[in-house]
Amino acid sequence: MFKQDQLHRFLFENYSVRGELVLASETYQHILENHDYPQPVQQLLGELLVATSLLTATLKFDGDITVQIQGDGPVKLAVINGNHQQQMRGVARIDGLVPENSSLKQMVGTGYMVITITPTHGERYQGVVALEGETLADCLDDYFRQSEQLPTRLFIRTGIQDGRIAAGGMLLQILPAAEQGSAEAFDHLVQLTATIKGEELFSLEVKEILHRLYHEEDVILYEPQAVEFRCTCSRQRCADTLVTLSDEDVNHILQKDGNIDMACEYCGTHYIFDADDLAAIRTEKKNRFH
């Protein structure tokens, strides 16, 4: 039986270090179900999903976060959008062949990772880091080092559990008001956390995982937060996009195809607009500006 997708926050009572553990297997499956991605791309999206969830939980804000990878290889874009409610969606765009067991470098080529944080209130922030690490986790370590943020380490696992794809991970971070000596404690906890196996994350209860990893430490575990797939597409959003097109372009598509079929690349939902629908949209647009 699959465990529910949840994010768990925990704190080491005797050290200035906090942690997170996330399981996102069902969300991962929803992201992949309407797409036929090669296995390495599936894995990359799973890793991005776990990373985005863990990163979102480190931010004390209401709003959205986007973690995307862009490059000049066959995988032009891989992106996960999330928010403070742990609602996630993602997509990849591929142009070319992605061989089995391709590395991050082979998939993306020369590329970079962009982390965009958009608070509901406040200024948008964007961080960019070149993809120089062997894995996504390595690249995220580079990001934290370069952005001079709090020492942070991510541990990302993807695989198969009970015949279905699974994804999970953990994060450790030194607290802002860390005491002297916390760096040594952090390094020790990082070494312990690095031993976590995918099958343990996917199948064991959180309390058992924490006990296995940190049985000599006092760990406070907080109430979990649900993680879920949630697409933000809607018929109204599509209509708002159609309003920005010229009447000439819209009429051309109508004459050629008989209707306009707008498909969401994230969830695969199709929104169909015929001539009557478009007449109503145009009327609404006119009324809006008068």
Side-chain angles (χ1 to χ4, degrees):
M1 180 172 167
F2 251 55
K3 288 161 60 182
Q4 185 181 357
D5 284 4
Q6 288 183 327
L7 176 91
H8 302 262
R9 295 173 175 85
F10 57 93
L11 182 70
F12 293 94
E13 207 165 359
N14 299 323
Y15 306 119
S16 298
V17 178
R18 59 184 290 280
E20 296 165 11
L21 184 155
V22 69
L23 186 76
S25 297
E26 197 172 331
T27 306
Y28 183 23
Q29 290 155 24
H30 278 301
I31 286 172
L32 298 182
E33 66 185 358
N34 288 303
H35 304 276
D36 187 22
Y37 297 127
Q39 188 277 329
V41 178
Q42 292 185 16
Q43 182 176 330
L44 177 59
L45 281 170
E47 292 175 354
L48 273 173
L49 169 64
V50 170
T52 305
S53 174
L54 293 170
L55 288 173
T56 303
T58 67
L59 305 167
K60 290 182 175 151
F61 81 113
D62 287 358
D64 300 316
I65 181 170
T66 298
V67 181
Q68 62 180 305
I69 285 176
Q70 298 179 23
D72 60 6
V75 178
K76 301 300 179 190
L77 172 75
V79 59
I80 298 288
N81 304 126
N83 61 27
H84 64 283
Q85 294 175 299
Q86 291 293 322
Q87 295 169 333
M88 304 285 168
R89 64 177 191 160
V91 73
R93 292 185 194 136
I94 305 167
D95 182 12
L97 186 66
V98 180
E100 200 173 340
N101 299 318
S102 291
S103 66
L104 179 64
K105 184 77 175 170
Q106 288 168 329
M107 282 190 284
V108 181
T110 302
Y112 49 91
M113 177 171 57
V114 184
I115 298 175
T116 307
I117 297 159
T118 311
T120 307
H121 305 289
E123 287 191 20
R124 184 169 170 262
Y125 164 82
Q126 193 166 72
V128 182
V129 63
L131 292 176
E132 294 175 349
E134 291 294 314
T135 67
L136 181 65
D138 291 340
C139 297
L140 284 160
D141 288 343
D142 290 343
Y143 166 77
F144 278 103
R145 276 195 296 271
Q146 291 178 28
S147 59
E148 297 181 3
Q149 296 190 36
L150 298 166
T152 306
R153 285 292 301 274
L154 283 87
F155 309 85
I156 301 171
R157 305 288 184 263
T158 60
I160 302 293
Q161 178 68 23
D162 297 335
R164 300 165 73 190
I165 50 171
M170 298 182 69
L171 174 146
L172 294 182
Q173 186 175 64
I174 287 186
L175 294 171
E179 300 110 17
Q180 203 167 4
S182 292
E184 290 82 0
F186 181 73
D187 289 342
H188 171 64
L189 295 171
V190 163
Q191 288 174 10
L192 295 177
T193 312
T195 65
I196 188 70
K197 295 182 175 64
E199 53 265 32
E200 293 175 311
L201 268 177
F202 307 149
S203 62
L204 299 179
E205 291 301 317
V206 174
K207 286 182 180 178
E208 186 176 352
I209 294 171
L210 296 181
H211 178 71
R212 283 192 181 198
L213 290 174
Y214 318 117
H215 58 274
E216 294 182 352
E217 312 297 342
D218 294 322
V219 181
I220 301 169
L221 180 63
Y222 298 100
E223 284 297 308
Q225 181 180 8
V227 180
E228 63 176 340
F229 174 81
R230 177 71 62 86
C231 193
T232 56
C233 74
S234 69
R235 187 173 179 82
Q236 184 59 52
R237 284 194 168 198
C238 290
D240 291 342
T241 301
L242 288 173
V243 162
T244 65
L245 301 178
S246 70
D247 290 352
E248 186 182 355
D249 287 340
V250 169
N251 291 336
H252 176 72
I253 298 170
L254 279 176
Q255 285 169 7
K256 187 162 77 72
D257 301 328
N259 58 42
I260 295 179
D261 182 352
M262 300 183 73
C264 174
E265 63 179 344
Y266 286 92
C267 69
T269 301
H270 285 260
Y271 299 94
I272 311 294
F273 296 86
D274 60 20
D276 291 341
D277 295 325
L278 288 156
I281 290 169
R282 286 167 174 162
T283 301
E284 185 189 348
K285 178 185 176 182
K286 284 175 187 170
N287 293 337
R288 216 184 286 172
F289 292 102
H290 286 87

